[in-house]
Amino acid sequence: MCSFRPCWTCCCLLLFFSLEVQGSPKPLSAAPEQVHLSYPGEPGSMTVTWTTWVPVPSEVQYGLQPSGPLPFQARGTFSPFVDGGILRRKLYMHRVTLRGLLPGVQYVYRCGSAQGWSRRFRFRALKKGPHWSPRLAVFGDLGADNPRALPRLRRDTQQGMYDAVLHVGDFAYNMDQDNARVGDRFMKLIEPVAASLPYMTCPGNHEERYNFSNYKARFSMPGNTEGLWYSWDLGPAHIISFSTEVYFFLHYGRHLVERQFHWLESDLQKANENRAVRPWIITMGHRPMYCSNADLDDCTWHESKVRKGLRGKFYGLEDLFYKYGVDLQLWAHEHSYERLWPIYNYQVLNGSQEMPYTHPRGPVHIITGSAGCEELLTPFTLFPRPWSALRVKEYGYTRLHILNGTHVHIQQVSDDQDGKIVDDVWVVRPLLGRMMYL
């Protein structure tokens, strides 16, 4: 009688070989890819971020002419990023910040090194000060598969419709998948938009793997928290990006909830003191406080974690945002569009019956998570809640025009209806007497 003993060495070799065959690495390249921009918060500046597969110098050449030599150079740094997947793939992330840019002027640039250059891209430097009217594209939950809004966003970008993009969490689905190759594919997909506009982000639940490592490595946001929370000024608005995810993935550190909360309070206090210069305070975070979708997400619960905090009483954000008079709260996570009446603690606080968004007595919430991903759209409950003003179950994205210190224009674009505007509302706040709702 013969016995059979499995050869574990052979099994491991076969597994390794099959993984390599499944995704055989291309020859390592010094050519830049996944190029994208972000605003580092310093007027007259722009950060360029890209990826290579070998360690090479980080340089951006730029100028004002679309063709011919690019007379200006800026150098930066690169850092290795090792994905947490089984192949431990190594990428090199390059960051270069351009400074001294002329406000509102269009620049042409390329990035890379003598070992390989990107193609040329264009961007327009952000204008300085509060006295101009920024236009933004706002959305969340955009995947590498089924990115329904992306072709229209690309066309809008080519037509110069926006000054910046706000991506309110959930990228690629997911950036870590297939040993981070899905992240690579997604960053290439958004390059026509993100290499032309500052692409500002916040983390969502789909970035959680390996302690948000792909999100932290791939994006370059202001501040020193690896993009988890930060703020920046744009025209007459102060924009705050934060992580709702610290409330859910506590194994990465409960202290992050407290740290972010105290940072938010300090930042909101300063922003309130600066209302005369920048009257609007706008927040963006992934998981909403409220929603009327037919699922079991946090926002469907009366005492949601983001709204009321840990155990329903620690570090809740609704009271904090209400105390400091946040005007507009942007959310995603639900794969749909929903606009709420001005609200605080389930109480509708419309300015008046005829003009609910003129001098509202509470913040306005917009949930815009229908840009398109493999998980498709999220249905709504049969009947809307009393605080729900409009619900749209269609692919699309939001346009946000901060006209001046008193008027903000919000529109929802339906990709299902070939770009039709399916929501159109103005939020009007007085310049005086808007320090806080309380």
Side-chain angles (χ1 to χ4, degrees), residues 368-412:
T368 176
S370 60
C373 68
E374 64 187 37
E375 294 183 357
L376 308 181
L377 294 170
T378 310
F380 289 106
T381 56
L382 185 58
F383 300 107
R385 307 290 189 239
W387 35 262
S388 180
L390 181 73
R391 311 189 300 178
V392 179
K393 187 192 167 189
E394 295 175 358
Y395 291 107
Y397 54 95
T398 305
R399 291 175 181 155
L400 176 63
H401 183 196
I402 309 167
L403 183 67
N404 53 36
T406 58
H407 288 67
V408 162
H409 191 198
I410 300 164
Q411 293 179 312
Q412 180 67 6

Side-chain angles (χ1 to χ4, degrees), residues 130-241:
H131 302 298
W132 63 287
S133 304
R135 296 176 183 267
L136 301 101
V138 186
F139 55 86
D141 302 78
L142 181 67
D145 294 320
N146 193 36
R148 291 285 290 274
L150 194 55
R152 195 172 304 279
L153 283 163
R154 288 177 62 167
R155 290 196 293 273
D156 287 358
T157 301
Q158 289 162 4
Q159 293 167 16
M161 289 183 64
Y162 308 120
D163 299 291
V165 169
L166 305 182
H167 188 143
V168 193
D170 278 7
F171 307 78
Y173 285 74
N174 296 344
M175 288 193 286
D176 64 272
Q177 283 195 351
D178 191 16
N179 293 281
R181 291 189 183 94
V182 173
D184 296 336
R185 184 158 62 93
F186 176 79
M187 298 306 293
K188 291 176 187 176
L189 275 176
I190 66 168
E191 187 181 77
V193 174
S196 303
L197 293 169
Y199 199 93
M200 309 302 285
T201 63
C202 72
N205 55 297
H206 279 269
E207 285 67 73
E208 174 266 337
R209 197 81 183 273
Y210 315 125
N211 196 6
F212 298 85
S213 63
N214 268 271
Y215 172 81
K216 292 172 179 177
R218 292 178 186 273
F219 294 106
S220 308
M221 295 299 115
N224 58 0
T225 65
E226 299 179 290
L228 293 183
W229 58 82
Y230 62 91
S231 64
W232 55 299
D233 295 325
L234 185 69
H238 181 70
I239 301 175
I240 300 171
S241 173

